[in-house]
Amino acid sequence: MYLESIALTHTTPCLAEPGKIIVTGKPCRPLNEVLPYLASLPNVIAYNPMTKSLTLRRKPGFITLFSERISITQVKDVQEGLDLLEALREAINATWEQRHALKPVTVRRAPPRLLDVYAILPQTNCKQCGEATCMAFAGNLLLQKRELKECKPLYQHESFAARRLTLEAMLA
């Protein structure tokens, strides 16, 4: 077992989602040793071994782990925050137990940028996704307010298949 506990240290209002909170927790020991293994998992959108920080995508919001602090955005209430911290503790322990089967990440992984996502989209501004422009759709993809499958041209036209696969990998 890597972690016995993650203590809830405080909550703050979530600016990205009014009415929700950001939960901050402190692990009972530094996460330095486990972060490279966690960085090999799906849903990682950013990892920096120099600053010892890792950001995971969650629906909704994000989980960011630092060596001695954890933040979870867009949480409904304190009880959900406690539940998420406990689930995260269990996931960290499970990852640590399976570390022999994982390849630790040692290089920086940056999150996709708005213009990178936009450049790969069809750029038809067809509005079939419900957004006025492909740029707006790209922004909402990154904020997890839209799903890639809502871009009809990506899935209807075989000429966009390579772009679709690239975006699926980029946003995973």
Side-chain angles (χ1 to χ4, degrees), residues 50-69:
M50 298 300 292
T51 61
K52 310 264 189 287
S53 62
L54 172 82
T55 300
L56 301 158
R57 185 180 313 274
R58 92 183 244 304
K59 291 189 179 188
F62 303 96
I63 299 172
T64 302
L65 297 95
F66 299 93
S67 178
E68 301 196 22
R69 177 172 48 98

Side-chain angles (χ1 to χ4, degrees), residues 7-12 21-26 69-71 78 85:
L8 174 66
T9 57
H10 65 279
T11 64
T12 54
I21 60 174
I22 298 171
V23 170
T24 302
K26 180 170 178 49
R69 177 172 48 98
I70 297 166
S71 294
V78 172
L85 288 173

Side-chain angles (χ1 to χ4, degrees), residues 4 10-11 17-18 30 37 42 53 61 65 82-83 87 93 95-96 112 119 122 126 136 155 166 172:
E4 294 203 16
H10 65 279
T11 64
E17 189 72 32
Y37 296 101
S53 62
L65 297 95
L82 290 168
D83 294 344
N93 286 333
T95 301
W96 185 250
C126 67
Y155 291 88
T166 300

Side-chain angles (χ1 to χ4, degrees), residues 21-106:
I21 60 174
I22 298 171
V23 170
T24 302
K26 180 170 178 49
C28 63
R29 68 184 270 200
L31 300 176
N32 296 351
E33 291 179 80
V34 74
L35 284 175
Y37 296 101
L38 292 168
S40 70
L41 300 176
N43 294 333
V44 171
I45 58 171
Y47 173 60
N48 187 335
M50 298 300 292
T51 61
K52 310 264 189 287
S53 62
L54 172 82
T55 300
L56 301 158
R57 185 180 313 274
R58 92 183 244 304
K59 291 189 179 188
F62 303 96
I63 299 172
T64 302
L65 297 95
F66 299 93
S67 178
E68 301 196 22
R69 177 172 48 98
I70 297 166
S71 294
I72 307 174
T73 66
Q74 298 186 27
V75 177
K76 181 175 63 177
D77 55 30
V78 172
Q79 185 57 55
E80 182 185 37
L82 290 168
D83 294 344
L84 289 168
L85 288 173
E86 177 57 23
L88 184 59
R89 184 192 71 81
E90 291 173 5
I92 289 169
N93 286 333
T95 301
W96 185 250
E97 295 299 320
Q98 296 299 315
R99 68 188 179 276
H100 63 280
L102 299 171
K103 182 178 182 202
V105 177
T106 58

Side-chain angles (χ1 to χ4, degrees), residues 60 66-67 130-131 139-140 157 161 167:
F66 299 93
S67 178
E131 298 295 336
N140 282 320
H157 303 290
L167 283 165

